[in-house]
Amino acid sequence: MIGVLVSGEGTNLQALLDASLPVVAVASNNTKARGLDRAVRAGIEAGAFPTVEYESRERRDDEMAEWLAEREVELVVLAGYMQLLTAPFLERFPGRILNVHPSLLPAFPGAHAVEDALEHGVKVSGATVHLVDEGIDTGPILLQEAVEVREGDTAETLHARIQQVEHRLLPEAVRLFLDGKLTTPVSP
């Protein structure tokens, strides 16, 4: 069973749903995330865990992890989740948290990957699905696909093309992971 974490629109969540993957719960740090609405419309339980309602990020992550575990989540997928997860959360799902990122990691980790790639004048960017560890986009890479940077690209136009790849690559990675065809260096 899959739990998905979102912070915004939820287009990668939609890609997972369109691929008929077994998503049973969607959580967000943002009470107004449209991804939560997508989950509800799909009949999937959704929960909001805004940091401001907790004494610490660790406490929030602990409650969110417990909420996911109560729903029998075995794999957590970050689909546009814009918060770092704390050690207590990572320890609840060791080697079972995937993230999609809009660059060819290890190049351009962090929240501004597309803008950083354009600023550096790269000719190729892309999308990466990787395991989550305690670093910022530093976990083992599972799948990547390149996206050409075109003359005149803006952050919006490049990101739109990268998202098209993400919407295909993330469900593929999740399916391969669930089928045991992508191995992890961490034992669950």
Side-chain angles (χ1 to χ4, degrees):
M1 299 299 184
I2 300 169
V4 180
L5 305 187
V6 299
S7 289
E9 293 296 313
T11 60
N12 278 309
L13 165 63
Q14 190 64 54
L16 296 170
L17 298 175
D18 291 347
S20 300
L21 289 161
V23 176
V24 297
V26 175
S28 182
N29 60 301
N30 176 3
T31 59
K32 296 180 181 179
R34 290 195 56 213
L36 294 173
D37 298 332
R38 287 179 193 268
V40 170
R41 282 193 306 272
I44 297 167
E45 195 166 354
F49 298 84
T51 308
V52 297
E53 293 183 10
Y54 297 90
E55 61 197 44
S56 67
R57 283 181 46 235
E58 288 80 7
R59 184 73 188 128
R60 185 272 317 265
D61 282 4
D62 186 51
E63 289 208 18
M64 188 166 56
E66 183 62 29
W67 184 82
L68 291 168
E70 288 170 357
R71 281 137 190 89
E72 300 181 1
V73 166
E74 298 166 4
L75 176 66
V76 176
V77 178
L78 310 187
Y81 188 68
M82 300 305 290
Q83 300 250 303
L84 292 177
L85 294 169
T86 59
F89 190 98
L90 298 174
E91 291 164 6
R92 288 292 293 270
F93 301 96
R96 295 179 289 134
I97 306 172
L98 305 183
N99 183 43
V100 63
H101 183 75
S103 79
L104 293 175
L105 291 173
F108 311 113
H112 306 288
V114 175
E115 294 85 351
D116 293 346
L118 288 172
E119 184 178 311
H120 281 84
V122 299
K123 301 293 183 202
V124 176
S125 187
T128 301
V129 177
H130 65 94
L131 286 172
V132 175
D133 62 15
E134 291 185 15
I136 298 174
D137 299 317
T138 57
I141 294 167
L142 300 175
L143 288 179
Q144 291 185 307
E145 186 173 321
V147 173
E148 177 187 4
V149 177
R150 298 177 183 159
E151 176 109 16
D153 258 339
T154 64
E156 292 77 25
T157 60
L158 178 57
H159 196 241
R161 286 199 320 284
I162 291 172
Q163 279 187 317
Q164 290 175 353
V165 171
E166 288 178 347
H167 295 164
R168 187 172 24 79
L169 198 66
L170 182 60
E172 177 184 355
V174 168
R175 191 172 311 284
L176 289 170
F177 191 89
L178 291 174
D179 290 345
K181 295 179 181 172
L182 287 178
T183 58
T184 72
V186 180
S187 298

